[in-house]
Each structure stands twice: as structure tokens, then as C-alpha cells.
DNA sequence: CATCTTTTTTAGACTCGTCTAAATTTATTT
DNA sequence: AAATAAATTTAGACGAGTCTAAAAAAGATG
């Protein structure tokens, strides 16, 4: 129904609105989509005319119920395709994003529902992000960043905040993957780096890494 | 690389060039793609400028080596996705064409090669059409239409010439599927219909049906 | 071969998504 | 509060792909 372009705008607005409260700015959308603010302004007018966003000039934008439903469906498709690529075609978790970026626009609910069943109804994608169900309901997992737990606290790695190829490959080199159990051994106040124990091995992780790693604590 | 539109033109030209000898006409392309002749003329100029077709005004067109290679890759992707949809997601053979029409444009050789392996390197799609290999080589099966075999000759159903939903669903109602063995029992000269025996059951098929059913004879 | 018909191409226009440059509004700072 | 800075929108343009209407070429017919 909606063009690739419109779908990408909706997804971007949804994503940005999750990271802050209040409306999403024109510049933020331009940055996310890789386009210019002028282009975004034009598009916001069209999306608004189609009742996909709430929009007052100069005031930022938020998705309407209809717009949010469409965004969630695209996210659902994106994440299910990512699971397919990793689980069935043996792609690595750092290789699947761009492909899913294309596959998410394939227009068929029947296809995506069957794919979901074929994959045994996964609840999370390869990066630990939750998969919205058919009606767009998304269950956020109870998880905290590694920066938010104390010395001697333990956690299981459940996801990443930064899904960039670079970060994912860095985690690979360190042998850190989803499901790993770790314990914080020491926090260095100087640079906020932390020493953790994982698989019986000690390693030190920078503040930047800890900020971007989600764990579920054993509370 | 090439846009969806360009890919669809190349595929259409390839398909039409298989059905006749000589160049493909502007009108035929317009008809195949569902557009107007004027639009096709414009596009032919662009494809020619990009060295994807040989083109002389008013003379029809043929694909260059480069154009043919691209067309075959799209056909390869189309057919492998069709196999996936039928074999893995349990779609029926009459349901998969339009979805494959979208999926064929996903731009990744790595993806399609992995999909091929995941599907156990199928050689034919759900309609019996051969799947080009990685280098675009396509092995046409030795098969003939049901109109071309004699009374008492036997054959195994290997494909359909007409892949329309209507014909495929008709075959379903008659219980005819790929792999079925049949024998021609009688040919009626009056309307060229034929009586066949299949699974021990006799049935009469019209000339139109026989023309569109391919079989491999036991020669 | 001259005319009529069909096919194909050109001309001009439209939509979608994009851009740069300029104008406008909002936010921040003295 | 005025001045300056930053964010946003408007104006005007462009390429891709499409259309309708008109012109031109090729093909068929008497
Ligand atoms: Mn996308
Ligand atoms: Mn993901
Ligand atoms: Mn297509
Ligand atoms: Mn097919």
C-alpha cells in the first residue's frame, strides 16, 4: 500500500519517538533517514494529509494510531526476516540488518504470518529486540544496561542498544553473545570501565561497551 | 543496482524473446508490463543507453549479454523464492507468483545463494520451470505438451505452459500435479480433446488444457 | 504504387521523492 | 527585550517513471 519511502519515514519516526518523550524533530528524521530537512518537511505534510502523523508546523511530529500500527508492522517484518536470515540461512547477527531493511517492505501479512510460524514464533530478533505480534503488541523485556548494575551483581546478556556492525563484530571478538551469563567484578571510577567475568574468563569493558549491552538481572 | 522498473523490463523482454524468434516489439512489452507503448519507447532508449538492450528505432529489441545475464538472475531469484514459499511456508503453487514478483528484486547474491542451499539446490520451481544456476545457465527440460504425444503413449507431468492462477486451480480440481504419470487413451478429432488415464482414473481434457500441460515421455 | 491501417516514437505534462538556496519561525544569549 | 543562532519551512528545480495526444514510420491492401 504505502511506498517504501513512506514506510521508512514511519519506521524512523517510531524509532526516534521511543528514544525521547515529546514530538520528533524534522532534523532528527532527516538524520535518521539520510536525507535533508527540506525533504522531510515536504514529506511530513504528505504523511499528515494521509493521517499517518500528527503535525503542526515547527512543532515536531508524532505518529497517529494508524501510523504507529503501520510502523510496528514494518518492525515486525524486519525482525522476523532477521531471525530467518540468522536461524535458517546462517547469516551472522552483524550481516542481517541491510537485507532486512529491504525485506521488511514485502507487502503480505499472509507471508509474514507463515514465516513467523515457520520460525516457531520467536519473541526476539537476533539482537534481542522484541518482535511485535500480529496486532502490533510489543513486549519490552525487563533489562538494564551493564552500566546500571552493581559490583557482584550477575546478569544474562539479552540484547544490544547499538546494533551497528562495528559493535556486533566487537562483541564477537570478545566472545560475548546473547544468553551469556556474566558478573560485574569491578568498576573503575576513573573511566567508568568495568571488569566482568564471563565463561570463567575475566575481561574489561569500556563505559561505551557497557552502555550498549543489555542484561537481565537475577532479581 | 538497477531499479525494480528496469528489472521488470529486462525480465519481460527475456520472457517475450523466448516465445518468438527475432526482436521483441514495443507493444508486446507494453502488454506484458501493463504499461503504454509510449512509456516503453522512453524506457527502451534508457536501457539502450545503459547497454542492456540492442535497439534500433522501429526495429524491436533484444537483450545484450549483460541484459540477458541480469534477466536470468532475476528469474533465478523469482523461482527460488517460489520454491521457498511452497516448500517451506506451505503456500500452494497458484499463490506464489505475485509474492515472488516482489521478492525477486531483493538485491543480494549472497542471500539467494544461501537460500538455494537451504532449499537443497532445487532444479525446478513449483511450476516445473528450470532454475538458472549462479552463472545464469538454464537447463531446459526435455518435455512436450500433451498435444504432442500419441494415443497409448505415457508421460509424467513436468510443468505447465500457462502458470495462471486459473489454470493451476483447475489442475487442482482435477487432481493433476507435477510428477503424476498419465497415458493418452483417446484423441477426439472433433475438438482435439483427449481422454487420459491418471491414477487409474479416466478423464477428458480439452485441447486448451493439453496445450498447456508439459510431460516427459518415457522414450 | 498509392492509400489506408497499425505500430512506434515524440511532445508535453504529471507525480513522487529528492535537492539547494532563501525565507521564516523558534530558541538562546547578551 | 533585542540581537543572534539554530531549526524549520517554502520556493524552485530535477530525474525517474508514467500518461495522453499527435506525428512519423512501417506494413498491409486494393
Ligand atoms: Mn527499509
Ligand atoms: Mn534487529
Ligand atoms: Mn517484479
Ligand atoms: Mn514459477
Amino acid at each position: 500500500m504505502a511506498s517504501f519511502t513512506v514506510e521508512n519515514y514511519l519506521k524512523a519516526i517510531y524509532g526516534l519517538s521511543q528514544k525521547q518523550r515529546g514530538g520528533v524533530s524534522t532534523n532528527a528524521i532527516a538524520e535518521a533517514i539520510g536525507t535533508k530537512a527540506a525533504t522531510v518537511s515536504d514529506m511530513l505534510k504528505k504523511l499528515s494529509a494521509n493521517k499517518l502523523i500528527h503535525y503542526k508546523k515547527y512543532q515536531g511530529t508524532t505518529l497517529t494510531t494508524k501510523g504507529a500500527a503501520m510502523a510496528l508492522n514494518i518492525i515486525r517484518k524486519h525482525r522476523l526476516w532477521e531471525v530467518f536470515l540468522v536461524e535458517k540461512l546462517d547469516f551472522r547477527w552483524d550481516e542481517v540488518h541491510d537485507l532486512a531493511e529491504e525485506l521488511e517492505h514485502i507487502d503480505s501479512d499472509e507471508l509474514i504470518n507463515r514465516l513467523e510460524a515457520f520460525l516457531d514464533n520467536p519473541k526476539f530478533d537476533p539482537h534481542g529486540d522484541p518482535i511485535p505480534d500480529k496486532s502490533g503488541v510489543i513486549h519490552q523485556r525487563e533489562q538494564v544496561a551493564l552500566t546500571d548494575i552493581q559490583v557482584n551483581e550477575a546478569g544474562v546478556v539479552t540484547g544490544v542498544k547499538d546494533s551497528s556492525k562495528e559493535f556486533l563484530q566487537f562483541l564477537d571478538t570478545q566472545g560475548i553473545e546473547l544468553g551469556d551469563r556474566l558478573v560485574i567484578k569491578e568498576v573503575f571510577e576513573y573511566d567508568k570501565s568495568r571488569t566482568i567475568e564471563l565463561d570463567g574468563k575475566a575481561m574489561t569493558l569500556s563505559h561505551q561497551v557497557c552502555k550498549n549491552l543489555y542484561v537481565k538481572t537475577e532479581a
Side-chain angles (χ1 to χ4, degrees), chain A residues 2-19:
Chain A
S3 67
F4 280 33
T5 307
V6 166
E7 293 193 342
N8 284 337
Y9 272 89
L10 294 176
K11 191 164 64 116
I13 295 168
Y14 181 90
L16 291 166
S17 71
Q18 295 302 101
K19 301 204 211 320

Side-chain angles (χ1 to χ4, degrees), chain A residues 151-189:
Chain A
V151 172
N152 285 325
E153 265 197 287
V156 172
V157 180
T158 50
V160 293
K161 181 169 185 196
D162 171 10
S163 287
S164 72
K165 201 167 296 215
E166 293 69 31
F167 184 51
L168 298 175
Q169 287 176 358
F170 170 79
L171 293 177
D172 285 345
T173 67
Q174 302 303 301
I176 299 174
E177 45 188 65
L178 298 196
D180 285 353
R181 183 176 180 282
L182 54 80
V183 185
I184 305 280
K185 301 308 266 185
E186 194 170 359
V187 178
F188 300 100
E189 283 308 322

Side-chain angles (χ1 to χ4, degrees), chain A residues 76-87:
Chain A
R76 169 174 160 79
K77 291 192 280 181
H78 184 105
R79 293 181 181 167
L80 283 168
W81 279 115
E82 284 191 342
V83 174
F84 170 71
L85 294 171
V86 168
E87 294 298 317

Side-chain angles (χ1 to χ4, degrees), chain A residues 4 7-8 11 73-86 91 93 95-106 112 115 125-127:
Chain A
F4 280 33
E7 293 193 342
N8 284 337
K11 191 164 64 116
N73 192 234
I74 301 158
I75 290 168
R76 169 174 160 79
K77 291 192 280 181
H78 184 105
R79 293 181 181 167
L80 283 168
W81 279 115
E82 284 191 342
V83 174
F84 170 71
L85 294 171
V86 168
F91 279 96
W93 67 344
E95 297 177 313
V96 296
H97 185 79
D98 291 350
L99 282 171
E101 207 61 42
E102 290 191 55
L103 287 161
E104 69 189 2
H105 302 291
I106 300 292
I112 209 65
L115 181 65
D125 84 359
H127 313 104

Side-chain angles (χ1 to χ4, degrees), chain A residues 9-59:
Chain A
Y9 272 89
L10 294 176
K11 191 164 64 116
I13 295 168
Y14 181 90
L16 291 166
S17 71
Q18 295 302 101
K19 301 204 211 320
Q20 325 125 173
R21 63 262 162 279
V24 175
S25 77
T26 300
N27 266 350
I29 298 168
E31 160 83 26
I33 288 192
T35 184
K36 294 300 162 71
T39 308
V40 174
S41 273
D42 272 2
M43 183 57 73
L44 292 183
K45 257 181 291 184
K46 292 178 201 165
L47 294 178
S48 180
N50 284 94
K51 308 263 191 235
L52 296 171
I53 60 172
H54 300 292
Y55 176 55
K56 279 250 154 65
K57 278 202 278 193
Y58 297 102
Q59 296 311 126

